[in-house]
Amino acid sequence: MNNCIDFSILSKYKMKKFLIIFTVSLFTPIFLSSQNFEKIYESMKTKDKIWCLNNLSSVLIAKEISEEVMFTMDSLNQISYLGGNSEGGVFDAFRHIYWMYSLSNEIGPKKAKRIGEIYENYGEYMFNNSYMSGYDSVGRVMDLFNNDIGISLSKEKIPYSLIFNEIENILRDGSAKVVKKNDLGESLDIDGNVIQDTIWKQTWQNNRILINSSL
């Protein structure tokens, strides 16, 4: 089935409205409900908007899979699995690995990787357009690194029944990346000095560093 859209049938206004609604629908499971979803559309490069529209069937599958992944991760967070949700921690790494593994199994590695990149581009957009967004270049590198692990697991044909144990082993042996932090959850530089949230959250390129994961 050809899933491309004939852009000529949409006026400029209808095109923008459609893209906003469609993009919001796609990324709703990925972002918190309180966020401004029109910014997601605004953050996307033209080539990414066109790519989404030209891969509608895969994108819709990705939406469904993302909903399932987020439901699973929310459930795990409720029982403080891997210490619970924390920016830059092992739970964060687990989420990205599991998400990309799940997407790659259903829509293929290349398309899954593209969606992961669109997500990270939105993070950079939010840094530039909102105060203390919680996104920075270190978080982006971490997410993309762990995304690639998830894609690799899919290529290795790891079955769903074993995936949690496999990801735990990866986190345990240090193959994934996390942000270096102290026991209080504060970000540290290479010398172990605390980097205040008010500093790194306002500086895209900062002194936070990534380290190998551990459990």
Side-chain angles (χ1 to χ4, degrees), residues 49-65:
K49 297 171 187 174
I50 294 174
W51 181 86
C52 285
L53 291 170
N54 285 339
N55 291 275
L56 277 178
S57 59
S58 294
V59 166
L60 291 174
I61 293 172
K63 177 182 183 294
E64 181 179 353
I65 298 302

Side-chain angles (χ1 to χ4, degrees), residues 21-113:
I21 294 172
F22 177 77
T23 306
V24 168
S25 175
L26 168 61
F27 289 103
T28 294
I30 302 173
F31 299 101
L32 297 175
S33 59
S34 62
Q35 290 178 323
N36 184 344
F37 292 120
E38 188 164 343
K39 289 183 179 179
I40 301 173
Y41 163 78
E42 293 172 355
S43 74
M44 290 176 69
K45 299 176 182 178
T46 300
K47 64 180 182 180
D48 289 330
K49 297 171 187 174
I50 294 174
W51 181 86
C52 285
L53 291 170
N54 285 339
N55 291 275
L56 277 178
S57 59
S58 294
V59 166
L60 291 174
I61 293 172
K63 177 182 183 294
E64 181 179 353
I65 298 302
S66 296
E67 289 173 342
E68 294 174 359
V69 168
M70 291 306 293
F71 178 81
T72 298
M73 298 309 299
D74 286 343
S75 298
L76 292 174
N77 185 45
Q78 304 248 341
I79 60 172
S80 297
Y81 178 68
L82 298 178
N85 194 16
S86 176
E87 181 277 325
V90 290
F91 187 90
D92 195 354
F94 185 103
R95 177 172 55 241
H96 277 269
I97 295 171
Y98 181 55
W99 181 40
M100 282 295 116
Y101 163 84
S102 300
L103 287 187
S104 296
N105 276 352
E106 300 299 329
I107 64 173
K110 289 185 178 180
K111 291 178 181 178
K113 187 178 181 72

Side-chain angles (χ1 to χ4, degrees), residues 122-206:
Y122 174 76
E124 185 168 357
Y125 173 89
M126 286 302 295
F127 172 84
N128 291 320
N129 289 275
S130 63
Y131 178 69
M132 300 281 284
S133 68
Y135 295 99
D136 70 342
S137 64
V138 177
R140 178 189 176 94
V141 172
M142 171 186 161
D143 291 347
L144 292 175
F145 183 94
N146 293 327
N147 284 357
D148 284 343
I149 294 176
I151 292 170
S152 296
L153 291 177
S154 174
K155 290 180 179 179
E156 293 171 14
K157 307 298 184 183
I158 305 296
Y160 272 105
S161 60
L162 300 177
I163 191 59
F164 274 34
N165 286 337
E166 187 67 25
I167 298 176
E168 286 180 11
N169 289 336
I170 287 170
L171 294 171
R172 186 175 292 108
D173 69 20
S175 296
K177 295 294 183 183
V178 296
V179 175
K180 184 178 182 180
K181 295 186 177 184
N182 60 21
D183 292 340
L184 298 176
E186 298 171 309
S187 298
L188 305 176
D189 65 18
I190 194 171
D191 297 316
N193 300 311
V194 173
I195 305 172
Q196 298 296 333
D197 287 356
T198 51
I199 295 178
W200 74 261
K201 288 185 178 182
Q202 298 183 72
T203 311
W204 180 254
Q205 298 284 351
N206 56 66

Side-chain angles (χ1 to χ4, degrees), residues 3-19:
N3 56 8
C4 295
I5 288 181
D6 182 359
F7 290 92
S8 66
I9 66 174
L10 296 174
S11 67
K12 183 176 181 180
Y13 170 76
K14 288 182 178 179
M15 170 67 79
K16 181 176 181 180
K17 184 176 180 180
F18 172 76
L19 284 171

